[in-house]
Amino acid sequence: MSSKTWTAVDDYIVSSIFEADPVLDAVLATNRDQGLPAIDVSAAQGKLLSLLVRIRGASKVLEVGTLGGYSTIWMARGLPAGGKVVTLELDPHHAKVARSNFARAGVSAKVDMRVGPALQSLAALGSENVGPFDLIFIDADKPNNPNYLSWAMRLSRPGTVIVCDNVIRDGAVVKKDSGDANVEGARAAFSFIGAETRLDGTAIQTVGAKGYDGFAIAIVD
Ligand code: SAH
Ligand code: DHB
Ligand code: MG
């Protein structure tokens, strides 16, 4: 089984279940034209995030790592009227592209994007009392995973769902001392979730258009 098959199956999932989505197609085209790396979640994963927002009944969502806003738009679409996604992005160019994508997708009123290092934005959110969030999606610089998980705990309530992306990394997560900071970040997410008694979690390996990776999911007790 090859990554070609995984991509074909992802295409099958999307073409058989999802409606045609010219807005999200245009978002991905804009990201490509603007030189953003193609590291957004896949369509099937984006839809899962949207479903998780609905399953949780979330009205306050926090995302760490916006890129061009592809995952943000999926989550915003799952929100009820009056719901909000606060999304944190370091790179001003990514943020500019994301802002235009939010407008195109008609979700600007549901998105509060904070530009700057996420750790600074998280500290600001902590003092602004905008939390607790109902669902938190962590998808930024992987070495900071434990810091983001730590903030996620502080900005959560019992029942908050935390999703952490890219924790399998082609299976490299099982390699101790890999020397790869992203892999060490993935391992740190596992250590954090395993050690935090207030988190009940698991991780799911995924294949698809984005290769072999996976996400961790946990609920705050
Ligand atoms: N969630 C997006 C993909 C995010 S890619 C999607 O699925 O569509 C990771 C993003 O995190 C990049 O845009 C990168 O600029 C941003 N990032 C990296 N380090 C960061 C930091 N310290 N603070 C905030 N954002 C950061
Ligand atoms: C990378 C980051 C991501 O968020 C992702 O989904 C895939 C790859 C990366 O930095 O390599
Ligand atoms: Mg990711």
Side-chain angles (χ1 to χ4, degrees), residues 12-81:
Y12 174 73
I13 292 167
V14 169
S15 65
S16 37
I17 302 182
F18 299 9
E19 309 229 331
D21 203 329
V23 166
L24 283 182
D25 294 344
V27 164
L28 292 179
T30 301
N31 291 354
R32 195 172 49 237
D33 293 347
Q34 292 297 318
L36 271 53
I39 55 173
D40 353 63
V41 294
S42 69
Q45 290 163 349
K47 184 66 177 288
L48 174 64
L49 290 170
S50 182
L51 292 173
L52 286 172
V53 169
R54 294 180 61 197
I55 291 165
R56 171 64 283 181
S59 57
K60 285 190 200 179
V61 172
L62 172 63
E63 175 177 63
V64 187
T66 316
L67 189 65
Y70 183 78
S71 53
T72 324
I73 293 167
W74 273 112
M75 292 192 287
R77 286 176 171 181
L79 290 170

Side-chain angles (χ1 to χ4, degrees), residues 2 11 14 29 33 45 63 67 73 76 99 102-105 111 116 118-119 130 133 135 149 165 173 207 214:
S2 68
D11 290 345
V14 169
D33 293 347
Q45 290 163 349
E63 175 177 63
L67 189 65
I73 293 167
R99 209 175 291 288
F102 298 148
R104 186 198 292 269
V111 178
L119 289 174
V130 290
F133 293 94
L135 185 142
L149 283 162
D165 198 21
V173 67
V207 295

Side-chain angles (χ1 to χ4, degrees), residues 165-174 183 186 190 203-206 212-216:
D165 198 21
N166 310 114
V167 298
I168 303 296
R169 298 247 153 209
D170 262 314
V173 67
V174 298
V183 173
F190 280 85
I204 296 296
Q205 306 183 60
T206 57
Y212 170 35
D213 209 327
F215 59 90

